[in-house]
Amino acid sequence: MTKVQSKRSILLAGLLIACLALGRSMYADEGMWTFNNFPSQKVGENYGFTPSQAWLDHVRLSSLRIAGGCSASFISPGGLVMTNHHCVVDCVEQLSTAKDNFVEEGFIAKTAAEERKCPDFELDQLVEIRDVTAEVQGATAGKTGDAANKALHAKEAELQQSCGSDPSVRCDIVSLYYGGIYDLYRYKRYTDVRLVFAPEYAVAQFGGDPDNFNFPRFDFDIGLLRAYEGSKPVASHDYLKWSANGSTDGELVFVSGNPGGTSRQLTVAQLEFERDTVFPARVPDIAEYRGELEDFVTRGPQQAREGKEDLFFIENSFKVLFGREEALLDPHFFGIKVQDEQKLRAATAADPKLAGDVSAWDDIAKIQELRKQLYWQNATLGSRSFRAGLLGYAVTLVRAASERTKPNTERLPEYTDQALVHVQQALSAPVPIYKEVEELNLAFLFSHIRRDLGTDDPFVRKMLGDESPEELAHRLVNGTRLEDPKVREQLYKGGEEAIKASDDPMLRFAKSINGDLLAERKEYEAQVEAPTRAAAERIAKARFAIYGTGVAPDATFTARLNYGAVKGFENAEGKFVEPYTTMGGLYQRATGAPPYKLPESWLNAKSVLNLSTPMNLATTNDIIGGNSGSPLINKDASIVGLIFDGNIFSLGGDYGYDAAQNRAIAVDSRALLEGLRKVYHFDRVVDEIEGARR
Amino acid sequence: MTKVQSKRSILLAGLLIACLALGRSMYADEGMWTFNNFPSQKVGENYGFTPSQAWLDHVRLSSLRIAGGCSASFISPGGLVMTNHHCVVDCVEQLSTAKDNFVEEGFIAKTAAEERKCPDFELDQLVEIRDVTAEVQGATAGKTGDAANKALHAKEAELQQSCGSDPSVRCDIVSLYYGGIYDLYRYKRYTDVRLVFAPEYAVAQFGGDPDNFNFPRFDFDIGLLRAYEGSKPVASHDYLKWSANGSTDGELVFVSGNPGGTSRQLTVAQLEFERDTVFPARVPDIAEYRGELEDFVTRGPQQAREGKEDLFFIENSFKVLFGREEALLDPHFFGIKVQDEQKLRAATAADPKLAGDVSAWDDIAKIQELRKQLYWQNATLGSRSFRAGLLGYAVTLVRAASERTKPNTERLPEYTDQALVHVQQALSAPVPIYKEVEELNLAFLFSHIRRDLGTDDPFVRKMLGDESPEELAHRLVNGTRLEDPKVREQLYKGGEEAIKASDDPMLRFAKSINGDLLAERKEYEAQVEAPTRAAAERIAKARFAIYGTGVAPDATFTARLNYGAVKGFENAEGKFVEPYTTMGGLYQRATGAPPYKLPESWLNAKSVLNLSTPMNLATTNDIIGGNSGSPLINKDASIVGLIFDGNIFSLGGDYGYDAAQNRAIAVDSRALLEGLRKVYHFDRVVDEIEGARR
C-alpha cells in the first residue's frame, strides 16, 4: 500500500505537465484503474461521490475473474455468480448432447440438485495485492537476453511459491506499465463451478455478428453460475446487491472487471509494427478460418452444434482485430499517438535525470525491425493452435513431463508447481472433443505454416514429411486417443517414461516438433521480449517521473475498476443514439430470420412483458475484451446492469479512449429480472437475487 | 502513327531530366510497351538487336488476347493457339461432366474432329491502332461530373461504331496514361474457339498454391486451342515458329501479351487509399471466401469438381493482393514512390507552362477523402458478384432490355451495339451452372453487404426483407430458371416486356435492386471517376512535357511488348536462384501428396524422358496478371517459352519494377515438346508445331 501513496504524490507533482502534455488522454472517465490506485478523489470532484476504501474492498471482493477470459460477480450470499451467456457458452456446449442442445434450447436448473458442474472452469477472487517491484527488478538488473528471462521466471516462481501449496490459492505476478511495477496478486480460487442458467443462444446473441459491437442493441446476454466448495454452495460474504430502480440517464456508474489487454502505452514503433505487419497478416488468416467454419456449420446439425461456438468467437475476434486495425489506420488517431510520444520524449530529454532514457524509444524501434524479420517464424511456430485441442493436450503432456524433472524455479512459467494445478485440471476435464473440427483446425494450421514458411523450409519438411497438411491432420486426429481424459491423466502421471513409451501419433508428433517450437520461443523471448522489457522499464520510469501513476496502466486481464455515466452518443452517421433501448424494441427488430429470430419462450411471453422495460444501455465506462460479464454498479455498489459489449468506437479503445464516442454496453438490470421472472419463470433464483436486493 | 514520332522527339528533349528524376524507374528492361511506341533503339543499344517495324507487326499479329483475361499466340499456320492451362481451365471445366473429369484427367483431341468448342471464349487479334486523343479529349473538354462521363461514353460509342457492324470486328477505345492518350484498337475477333489439349490439373498446377508465384518451379502449364471460322480452322498468316534450341542464360527475350493492369503512375494519395482503405478491407474478404471454398470442396467429389477452379482463382487473387499490399507497406518502396512524385511535382512547378497543373495532385488527394466516405457503398453495391453467375445474367437481362431502348451513344458502355455482341454470346453460352456454388456465393454477397452497410441501412432492408442472407440466396438460386441458355435467350429477345412479364425470382430481385446499383454507380462515376480523369489528364500532360513517353503507360489489358533476358535472382534468404529448372527436379519435388502429386501419365513416362530437359525458366521481362499465356520469344520471333507466372517479387510490380529481383516465369519450350511427345504422345499436334519450327 505504500506504493500507491508514493505514486499519488508523484502524480500531484506531475499533474500540470500531465495536463499540458497528455491532451486527449486526460478526458473524463478514461482509465482501467487498479484497485490500489483508484482515483476516488477525482470521481468525487466530477460526480460528487468519493468511493471509500471499504467500498473499494467490498467491490473487489464481490468481483470475480473467469480464468478463461471473462469477468463475473457474486450476486447472492449463496455463491450465485452472474456473468454473460457468451462467458458460459463453453460450458453450456460441453454439457450439451445431440439430444439436449442447451446452446439452442437454453439451460435452467430448476432445483439446486440440477445445477451442473462445468468441466473446466475457474473463478478467481482477488484477496490481496502486494508490491514486489523491487524484488523482481532486482532479480533481472544487469541481465540481458535469455539470462534476464531465466532470472525473471525464477523470481516469479519463487514469489508464487511464497503463497504456499493450497490449490485453492492462486498467486500471479502482475507486470504493470510493461515492467514499471510488479505486483503479486493473491486469489481465492474456485474450481467447482456449476451452471445455473443460460438462455437460448438466439436471444443471448440476438442480432449475431451484424449487431455485435453495435448499439442500439437488444441482447439477453446473461449466464448464471454458482461457486461450490466441498460440494456445497460457497457462502459469499461479499456480493453485489441488486438495485431496486436500475439507472437513469447521466447517472454515475462503475464497472468492476478484468479488461484483457490494451496497448495505449506502446511506443509508436510498436504500433506501426502492429498496423503494418501484424494486422495485414492476422486479419486475413482469421477471415479465412472464419470462412471455413461458416461453410462447415452448414454441413449438418452435428457440425452446426460442434462448430457454432468456434464460429461465434472467431467472428468476434475478426471484428475486434479489424476495428483495431481501422483505428491505427486512421491518420488523425495515429497522429495523436505520435504527438503524445513526442511530448513524453521531449519531457524526458529535458529532465537531466531522465535524459539518458530517451534512447529507450530508439531501442524499441530497432527491436521492431528484428520482429519483422522474425514475424512469420514467430507467428507460425508460436501459434496458439499448438496449445489448443488435441494437439494442445499432446504438447502439454510432453512439456509437463520434461519440465517436472526440473526444479520449480527453472521451469517454463506455465509449468511451475502452482501453474500445474490448472494444467492437471485441464487435462482431466471431461470436455467433449469434436474430431471433425479438430481436423479442420489442424489442417488449417499445417497448411498455413507451409504457406508462410514455404515448402522448402526445414521445419515444414520435417513437419509434413511426404504428407499433405490434410493427410497429416487426418492421421493424427483419427489415430490419437487423447480425447479420453483417463488416457491423458495416465500419461500425465506416467511422466517422461509414459510419454516415451506411448505410440499415440499425436503425442509422437508433438514430441518430434517440441524442440523446434521451444527453440523458436527461446530465441524470440531472448531477442525481442527481454530487450523490450528492459526498454519499457526505462520508459515507464520516465513516465512515472513526469506523469506519476495518474495514467492507468495498460490492461493485463487483472482486476480493474472504472467509472463513467449512462450516456448516449453520436453514431458514424452523425445521429444521436439514446442510451437505453426497450424490450419492445427487441420485438420490433425480430424478423424471424436468424440472427433476428427470437426463441419460442420470448415469443410466447410477449404479452406478459412490460415492453417499456429498458433492455440494454450505453455508458461511458472505459472497457475492453475481458470485461465481458462485469457488473455495472451504482454508487451504492448495487447492480444496475451487466456489461457484455462495447459500441463500434470502443474497438479503438485498445489504443486510446475517446469519451465522445466510446461506449460500454450492458444488459439493463430491470430487463434481467423481467426476463428471468416472466420469460423463464425462474422464481427460485429470482427470489434469491431479490432477497439480495438493496 | 504520327503521335508516336512526336512523342519520341519530346522524349529526347526530356531524357536528361528523366534520367535525373526517375531514378529507379530507368532500370533496364522495365516497361510494358505499346506496339506503336516500342523502344527498339534502346533494345538495340543494350542487347545488339533492334526490332524492325516488320518484326513488330509480325509479333503483334501473331499474338492474341483472350477476352476472359489472358494472352495467347498463333503457333501454326492452321490456327493452333498456345496459352496456359489456367487460361483454358474455365473451358475444360465447362466441358467436363461427372463421368469425364477433364480437369483431373486432362483433355487430348486425338483427331481434328475431337476438338471441342469452348462455350464462351473470345480471341482478339490486334490489327490496327489509331490515335483518337483529340476527338475524345475534345468531347469532354469543359465538362465535369456526369456530363463529362456522358460525353465520354457517347464519343466512345460513336468511335466504336465507325468500325462497322461486322461482329468479327471489335473496336475498343484504350485510355493510356489515365487519359493522356486515347487510342482506337481494332481487333479481328474469333468466337469459335476449340479446345485441343489440356494436361492434368495436377501437373499443370504442380505445387499448387504454395508454389504459386515462387521459383524454382516445375509446372507444365500449357493449354492448346484452335481458332475456327465458318467451321474450319483459321488460316493464320502470322504465327510464331518454334525455336529449335530454346534459350540460354543471359539471352535477349521478348514477351508479347496483354498485361491486365498496373498502378505505377497513380499518385501517392491514390496509393495510400489502396494501402490504407482498399487492401485492409478486400484482402480479408477474399480470405474469408477462400475459407468457405476450401471447406466446400471437401464435401464430396461433386463439390470438389464444381468448386476447385473457383478456389484456384481465389487463392491466386489472395496471393496477388496480399503481395501488392506488402509492397505498399514496405516503407523503402513507398518512399521511392513519394520521392518520384515529389520530383515530378517540382519539375511541373518549375515550368511556367505547367505550373498551373501542380494542383492536379491536390485535387486527386481531395478525391481520395471522398472515396473513403463512399468506400463501403461502392465496394458492396459495385461488387463484381452482381455481374457474375445467375445474378449476373439477371442483372444483364434487366439492363440490356432497358438500354436497348436508348440510342447507341446514350447507353451504358457495356451495352453499345458493339458490346452487345459479347453480351449475347455470353447469355446464350451453354455454360454449366453449379447451383450449390451459386448459393454459397450469393449468401456470401448478401451477408457481406449487410455486414458492411449495417442491418439498418435502407438498401439492406430492401434487399433482405425478412429473410436471412442464406434464405434469400437459397430462394433465388433454387427458384430461378436462368441456368437454361434458352430461357436467357428468350428473355433477351423479348426485351422489356418479357422482363416485365417474368416471375423468375432472380430476375425480379435484379429488377428490384437495379435502380439502386445504377444510382450508386452514377454517383461514384460522377463524383470520383470524372474528376480523377480530369486531374490525371493534367498530370499526364505534365509527365509528357517533362519525360515524354519514355515511360510506358500503365497496363490496360491491351497488347504490350517487353524485352528482357534469361536471368537468375537472389531470393528472400539471399541465396542465388539459377534461371532454369529441369524435368528431373519435377520428379524430385513430387512427394505423392497434393499439390505435389504427379498424375499417372508423368509417373509412367519418367524413364523415357530426358530428365535434364529445362522445365521452367526465369527472365527479367516486366509482366503482370493478364500476361498469362504470353509467348516468350527470341530475336527471331521464335518461341522459347510460355509465360505462366512471376516470382514473389513480381507482385510488387504493380507499383514499380525492380530489375534486381522481379522475374517472369515461363515453361521452357523444350519441356513443352518433350512432354507433348513423350508423356502425351500427341504427335498430331507436335508434328504441326515442329512443321512450324524455325
Side-chain angles (χ1 to χ4, degrees):
Chain A
M1 286 300 184
T2 48
K3 166 145 267 158
V4 177
Q5 284 167 340
S6 67
K7 292 292 175 202
R8 287 258 169 76
S9 46
I10 298 172
L11 167 66
L12 291 174
L15 200 61
L16 183 67
I17 303 171
C19 288
L20 291 173
L22 280 173
R24 56 178 287 293
S25 302
M26 290 301 282
Y27 277 142
D29 304 353
E30 170 162 0
M32 301 165 182
W33 302 95
T34 52
F35 272 90
N36 55 350
N37 185 32
F38 187 77
S40 287
Q41 204 178 326
K42 195 175 158 204
V43 179
E45 283 158 18
N46 291 345
Y47 288 96
F49 167 69
T50 306
S52 65
Q53 190 59 49
W55 189 96
L56 293 169
D57 291 345
H58 167 64
V59 170
R60 171 172 53 78
L61 289 166
S62 301
S63 301
L64 295 163
R65 181 173 73 167
I66 299 178
C70 275
S71 301
S73 58
F74 281 126
I75 60 165
S76 88
L80 189 65
V81 171
M82 176 174 77
T83 184
N84 291 142
H85 175 270
H86 73 266
C87 295
V88 301
V89 67
D90 244 353
C91 167
V92 177
E93 181 239 307
Q94 287 162 2
L95 297 177
S96 292
T97 60
K99 201 176 133 274
D100 288 318
N101 189 338
F102 300 128
V103 178
E104 292 259 310
E105 296 152 17
F107 176 91
I108 302 178
K110 295 217 180 72
T111 64
E114 287 178 33
E115 297 180 356
R116 285 184 60 184
K117 187 172 189 311
C118 290
D120 185 15
F121 233 84
E122 174 181 324
L123 295 174
D124 300 325
Q125 179 188 32
L126 179 59
V127 292
E128 191 198 357
I129 301 176
R130 183 157 69 86
D131 181 7
V132 292
T133 309
E135 289 161 82
V136 176
Q137 287 183 350
T140 59
K143 296 195 175 69
T144 59
D146 190 43
N149 291 330
K150 278 186 173 148
L152 177 67
H153 295 159
K155 177 54 73 180
E156 287 182 342
E158 183 197 315
L159 287 165
Q160 282 181 337
Q161 223 160 6
S162 72
C163 289
S165 60
D166 179 350
S168 79
V169 174
R170 171 177 180 151
C171 280
D172 291 345
I173 310 301
V174 177
S175 161
L176 301 172
Y177 302 100
Y178 300 98
I181 295 177
Y182 289 94
D183 279 347
L184 178 74
Y185 277 40
R186 192 158 66 84
Y187 299 96
K188 165 79 175 157
R189 158 149 67 180
Y190 301 96
T191 53
D192 183 353
V193 180
R194 306 196 186 173
L195 184 64
V196 175
F197 171 76
E200 304 90 337
Y201 184 94
V203 69
Q205 309 295 341
F206 184 78
D209 176 61
D211 279 8
N212 193 15
F213 289 109
N214 281 315
F215 193 84
R217 193 72 165 282
F218 308 87
D219 286 6
F220 198 72
D221 193 353
I222 183 176
L224 295 174
L225 302 165
R226 195 183 301 277
Y228 282 70
E229 257 188 333
S231 296
K232 281 186 184 155
V234 162
S236 36
H237 177 264
D238 283 283
Y239 65 90
L240 301 174
K241 295 181 195 296
W242 208 267
S243 155
N245 302 313
S247 57
T248 56
D249 193 352
E251 183 177 343
L252 169 66
V253 282
F254 300 83
V255 172
S256 171
N258 299 271
T262 52
S263 313
R264 297 178 188 174
Q265 284 149 22
L266 292 185
T267 72
V268 167
Q270 287 171 308
L271 295 178
E272 282 171 346
F273 180 75
E274 294 211 355
R275 184 191 64 192
D276 300 338
T277 302
V278 179
F279 289 133
R282 274 193 68 198
V283 173
D285 272 9
I286 290 181
E288 185 182 342
Y289 193 60
R290 173 190 187 155
E292 291 199 357
L293 280 173
E294 282 170 334
D295 192 67
F296 180 81
V297 297
T298 65
R299 287 184 168 213
Q302 188 197 332
Q303 287 89 347
R305 188 167 62 84
E306 294 180 357
K308 195 171 181 178
E309 192 206 330
D310 282 6
L311 178 56
F312 164 73
F313 282 110
I314 209 137
E315 283 173 349
N316 192 62
S317 297
F318 178 82
K319 214 165 200 172
V320 169
L321 254 70
F322 188 71
R324 286 171 55 190
E325 186 179 17
E326 293 274 280
L328 291 185
L329 284 169
D330 179 343
H332 175 71
F333 185 85
F334 204 85
I336 291 171
K337 301 299 295 187
V338 173
Q339 270 180 24
D340 282 356
E341 178 167 308
Q342 281 166 350
K343 283 177 189 162
L344 182 56
R345 280 184 78 148
T348 304
D351 182 333
K353 281 187 204 150
L354 302 172
D357 289 320
V358 168
S359 61
W361 279 275
D362 303 324
D363 290 352
I364 286 186
K366 224 171 273 168
I367 295 167
Q368 304 319 301
E369 287 167 32
L370 181 66
R371 275 179 93 187
K372 223 170 181 170
Q373 290 167 33
L374 297 175
Y375 180 73
W376 291 110
Q377 198 77 12
N378 180 251
T380 51
L381 274 63
S383 167
R384 278 190 203 178
S385 298
F386 288 112
R387 302 194 292 277
L390 291 167
L391 180 54
Y393 287 139
V395 169
T396 299
L397 285 167
V398 168
R399 289 185 184 172
S402 78
E403 291 298 308
R404 278 182 297 158
T405 65
K406 301 176 190 168
N408 193 39
T409 53
E410 291 174 21
R411 296 182 198 161
L412 294 170
E414 66 271 30
Y415 296 99
T416 59
D417 284 336
Q418 196 196 243
L420 285 175
V421 174
H422 182 69
V423 168
Q424 275 183 279
Q425 192 197 1
L427 284 173
S428 60
V431 166
I433 296 286
Y434 307 131
K435 286 206 159 184
E436 222 179 328
V437 179
E438 291 278 326
E439 204 179 312
L440 191 78
N441 188 3
L442 287 187
F444 188 83
L445 171 70
F446 299 148
S447 81
H448 267 259
I449 293 178
R450 180 176 66 187
R451 200 190 292 174
D452 295 340
L453 302 183
T455 298
D456 300 316
D457 176 85
F459 178 78
V460 173
R461 286 195 179 277
K462 176 181 183 175
M463 176 183 78
L464 288 180
D466 280 348
E467 289 176 296
S468 72
E470 295 75 20
E471 288 167 353
L472 176 61
H474 184 78
R475 181 172 63 79
L476 297 181
V477 170
N478 284 275
T480 188
R481 289 188 57 225
L482 293 182
E483 70 272 22
D484 183 347
K486 292 275 169 299
V487 171
R488 299 195 297 262
E489 270 179 23
Q490 273 172 4
L491 283 164
Y492 181 81
K493 281 184 197 139
E496 286 212 293
E497 271 186 47
I499 302 295
K500 207 175 160 188
S502 169
D503 63 353
D504 188 284
M506 191 70 81
L507 207 65
R508 290 175 85 107
F509 176 73
K511 230 175 103 186
S512 75
I513 58 168
N514 184 42
D516 301 278
L517 302 186
L518 288 180
E520 186 284 325
R521 172 171 163 180
K522 191 172 170 182
E523 185 194 4
Y524 192 82
E525 287 177 349
Q527 291 199 46
V528 174
E529 293 186 3
T532 301
R533 200 166 53 233
E537 268 180 31
R538 294 163 66 206
I539 293 176
K541 194 182 86 182
R543 195 189 301 274
F544 291 153
I546 296 163
Y547 302 141
T549 49
V551 180
D554 265 325
T556 48
F557 194 45
T558 51
R560 302 290 177 96
L561 180 67
N562 65 64
Y563 62 97
V566 178
K567 201 170 174 187
F569 61 99
E570 204 168 89
N571 69 13
E573 287 80 42
K575 216 186 114 192
F576 185 76
V577 180
E578 296 293 337
Y580 291 100
T581 62
T582 65
M583 281 191 151
L586 168 66
Y587 287 97
Q588 276 170 28
R589 199 168 183 77
T591 61
Y596 299 102
K597 182 181 164 72
L598 282 172
E600 283 301 309
S601 62
W602 282 78
L603 293 174
N604 294 339
K606 185 176 176 187
S607 62
V608 299
L609 289 171
N610 175 357
L611 295 179
S612 64
T613 307
M615 184 77 200
N616 289 174
L617 73 156
T619 77
T620 63
N621 295 83
D622 182 9
I623 61 151
I624 203 137
N627 266 119
S628 282
S630 298
L632 182 74
I633 56 178
N634 61 18
K635 65 184 167 58
D636 299 329
S638 299
I639 291 171
V640 297
L642 167 59
I643 294 292
F644 72 98
D645 207 0
N647 68 355
I648 200 73
F649 305 109
S650 76
L651 292 173
D654 206 304
Y655 304 106
Y657 173 82
D658 177 0
Q661 293 197 298
N662 285 34
R663 290 294 177 274
I665 300 176
V667 190
D668 194 286
S669 59
R670 290 160 287 193
L672 289 173
L673 283 197
E674 182 85 355
L676 286 171
R677 183 80 85 186
K678 295 190 187 164
V679 177
Y680 297 103
H681 312 292
F682 201 16
D683 295 345
R684 177 175 82 89
V685 152
V686 179
D687 290 346
E688 184 178 350
I689 294 172
E690 298 224 276
R693 184 185 275 197
R694 183 177 285 267
Chain B
M1 286 300 182
T2 49
K3 167 146 267 158
V4 176
Q5 285 166 337
S6 67
K7 290 292 174 204
R8 286 259 168 76
S9 47
I10 298 172
L11 168 66
L12 291 174
L15 200 60
L16 184 66
I17 303 170
C19 288
L20 290 174
L22 280 174
R24 55 178 288 294
S25 302
M26 290 301 282
Y27 278 140
D29 304 353
E30 170 161 1
M32 301 164 181
W33 302 95
T34 51
F35 272 91
N36 56 350
N37 186 33
F38 187 77
S40 288
Q41 204 178 324
K42 196 174 157 202
V43 178
E45 284 158 17
N46 290 347
Y47 287 97
F49 167 69
T50 307
S52 65
Q53 190 59 48
W55 190 96
L56 292 170
D57 291 345
H58 167 63
V59 170
R60 170 172 53 78
L61 290 166
S62 301
S63 302
L64 295 164
R65 181 174 71 167
I66 299 179
C70 275
S71 300
S73 58
F74 282 126
I75 60 166
S76 89
L80 189 65
V81 171
M82 177 176 76
T83 185
N84 291 141
H85 174 271
H86 72 266
C87 295
V88 301
V89 68
D90 244 354
C91 167
V92 176
E93 180 238 306
Q94 288 162 3
L95 297 178
S96 292
T97 60
K99 202 177 131 276
D100 289 319
N101 188 339
F102 300 128
V103 178
E104 291 259 311
E105 296 153 17
F107 176 90
I108 303 177
K110 296 217 179 70
T111 64
E114 288 178 31
E115 297 181 355
R116 286 185 59 185
K117 186 170 191 309
C118 290
D120 185 16
F121 234 83
E122 174 181 323
L123 295 173
D124 300 325
Q125 179 188 31
L126 179 59
V127 293
E128 191 198 357
I129 302 175
R130 184 157 69 85
D131 180 7
V132 293
T133 309
E135 288 161 82
V136 176
Q137 287 184 350
T140 59
K143 296 194 174 68
T144 59
D146 189 43
N149 291 329
K150 278 186 173 149
L152 178 67
H153 295 159
K155 177 54 72 180
E156 287 182 343
E158 184 198 314
L159 287 165
Q160 283 180 338
Q161 223 159 6
S162 72
C163 289
S165 60
D166 179 350
S168 80
V169 174
R170 171 177 180 150
C171 280
D172 291 345
I173 310 302
V174 177
S175 161
L176 301 172
Y177 302 100
Y178 300 98
I181 294 177
Y182 289 93
D183 279 347
L184 179 74
Y185 276 40
R186 192 158 65 85
Y187 299 97
K188 165 80 176 156
R189 158 150 65 180
Y190 302 97
T191 53
D192 183 353
V193 181
R194 306 197 188 173
L195 185 64
V196 175
F197 171 77
E200 304 90 337
Y201 183 94
V203 71
Q205 309 295 341
F206 184 79
D209 175 62
D211 279 8
N212 192 16
F213 290 108
N214 282 314
F215 193 84
R217 193 69 164 285
F218 309 88
D219 285 7
F220 198 72
D221 193 354
I222 182 176
L224 295 174
L225 302 164
R226 196 182 301 278
Y228 282 69
E229 256 187 334
S231 297
K232 281 188 185 154
V234 163
S236 36
H237 177 264
D238 284 284
Y239 63 91
L240 301 174
K241 295 181 194 297
W242 208 267
S243 156
N245 302 313
S247 57
T248 56
D249 193 352
E251 183 176 343
L252 170 66
V253 281
F254 300 84
V255 172
S256 170
N258 300 271
T262 52
S263 313
R264 297 178 188 175
Q265 285 148 23
L266 293 185
T267 72
V268 167
Q270 287 171 308
L271 296 178
E272 283 172 344
F273 180 75
E274 294 211 355
R275 184 191 64 189
D276 300 338
T277 301
V278 179
F279 290 133
R282 273 193 68 198
V283 174
D285 271 10
I286 290 180
E288 185 182 342
Y289 193 60
R290 172 190 188 154
E292 291 199 356
L293 280 173
E294 281 169 333
D295 191 69
F296 180 81
V297 297
T298 65
R299 286 182 169 214
Q302 186 197 332
Q303 287 90 347
R305 189 168 60 84
E306 295 179 358
K308 195 171 181 176
E309 192 206 329
D310 282 6
L311 178 57
F312 164 74
F313 282 110
I314 209 136
E315 283 173 349
N316 192 63
S317 297
F318 178 82
K319 215 165 199 172
V320 170
L321 254 71
F322 188 71
R324 286 171 56 189
E325 185 179 17
E326 292 275 281
L328 291 185
L329 283 170
D330 179 344
H332 175 70
F333 185 85
F334 204 85
I336 291 171
K337 300 301 294 185
V338 173
Q339 270 179 23
D340 282 356
E341 177 167 308
Q342 280 167 349
K343 283 177 191 164
L344 183 55
R345 281 183 78 149
T348 305
D351 182 335
K353 281 187 203 148
L354 302 172
D357 289 320
V358 168
S359 61
W361 279 276
D362 303 323
D363 290 353
I364 286 186
K366 225 172 272 169
I367 295 166
Q368 304 320 302
E369 287 167 33
L370 181 65
R371 275 179 93 186
K372 221 168 182 172
Q373 290 167 34
L374 298 175
Y375 179 73
W376 291 109
Q377 198 77 12
N378 181 251
T380 51
L381 274 63
S383 166
R384 278 190 202 178
S385 298
F386 288 111
R387 303 195 292 276
L390 291 167
L391 180 55
Y393 287 138
V395 169
T396 299
L397 286 166
V398 168
R399 290 186 184 172
S402 78
E403 291 298 308
R404 280 182 295 157
T405 65
K406 302 177 188 167
N408 194 37
T409 53
E410 292 175 20
R411 297 182 198 161
L412 294 171
E414 67 272 29
Y415 296 98
T416 59
D417 283 337
Q418 195 195 245
L420 285 174
V421 174
H422 182 71
V423 168
Q424 275 183 279
Q425 191 197 2
L427 284 173
S428 60
V431 166
I433 296 287
Y434 307 131
K435 288 206 161 186
E436 221 179 328
V437 179
E438 292 277 327
E439 203 178 314
L440 192 77
N441 189 2
L442 288 187
F444 188 84
L445 171 70
F446 300 148
S447 80
H448 267 259
I449 293 179
R450 180 175 67 187
R451 200 190 292 175
D452 296 340
L453 301 183
T455 298
D456 300 317
D457 177 84
F459 178 78
V460 173
R461 286 193 178 278
K462 176 181 182 176
M463 176 182 78
L464 289 180
D466 280 346
E467 288 176 297
S468 73
E470 295 74 21
E471 288 167 353
L472 176 61
H474 184 77
R475 180 172 62 79
L476 297 182
V477 170
N478 284 276
T480 188
R481 288 187 59 225
L482 294 182
E483 71 272 20
D484 182 347
K486 293 276 169 297
V487 171
R488 300 194 297 262
E489 270 178 22
Q490 274 173 3
L491 284 164
Y492 181 81
K493 281 184 196 137
E496 285 212 294
E497 270 185 47
I499 301 293
K500 208 175 160 187
S502 169
D503 63 355
D504 188 284
M506 191 71 81
L507 207 64
R508 290 175 85 107
F509 176 73
K511 231 175 101 185
S512 75
I513 59 168
N514 184 42
D516 300 279
L517 302 186
L518 288 179
E520 186 285 324
R521 172 172 163 179
K522 192 171 169 182
E523 184 194 6
Y524 192 82
E525 287 178 349
Q527 291 200 45
V528 174
E529 293 185 4
T532 301
R533 201 166 51 233
E537 269 180 31
R538 295 163 65 206
I539 292 175
K541 195 181 85 181
R543 196 189 301 275
F544 291 153
I546 295 163
Y547 302 140
T549 49
V551 180
D554 265 324
T556 48
F557 194 45
T558 50
R560 301 291 177 94
L561 181 67
N562 64 65
Y563 62 97
V566 178
K567 201 171 175 187
F569 62 98
E570 203 168 271
N571 70 12
E573 287 81 39
K575 216 187 113 193
F576 184 76
V577 181
E578 295 292 338
Y580 291 100
T581 63
T582 66
M583 281 192 151
L586 168 66
Y587 287 97
Q588 276 170 27
R589 199 167 181 77
T591 60
Y596 299 102
K597 182 181 164 73
L598 282 171
E600 284 300 310
S601 62
W602 281 77
L603 291 174
N604 294 338
K606 185 177 177 186
S607 61
V608 299
L609 289 171
N610 176 356
L611 295 180
S612 63
T613 308
M615 184 79 201
N616 290 173
L617 74 157
T619 76
T620 64
N621 295 84
D622 183 10
I623 60 151
I624 203 138
N627 267 118
S628 282
S630 298
L632 182 75
I633 56 178
N634 62 18
K635 63 185 168 57
D636 298 330
S638 298
I639 290 169
V640 297
L642 167 59
I643 293 292
F644 71 99
D645 206 1
N647 68 355
I648 199 74
F649 304 110
S650 75
L651 292 173
D654 206 305
Y655 303 106
Y657 173 82
D658 177 359
Q661 294 197 296
N662 285 34
R663 290 294 177 274
I665 300 175
V667 191
D668 194 286
S669 59
R670 290 160 286 192
L672 290 173
L673 282 198
E674 182 84 354
L676 287 171
R677 184 78 86 185
K678 296 190 187 165
V679 177
Y680 297 103
H681 313 291
F682 202 15
D683 294 345
R684 175 175 83 90
V685 152
V686 179
D687 290 347
E688 183 178 351
I689 294 171
E690 298 223 277
R693 184 185 276 197
R694 182 177 287 265

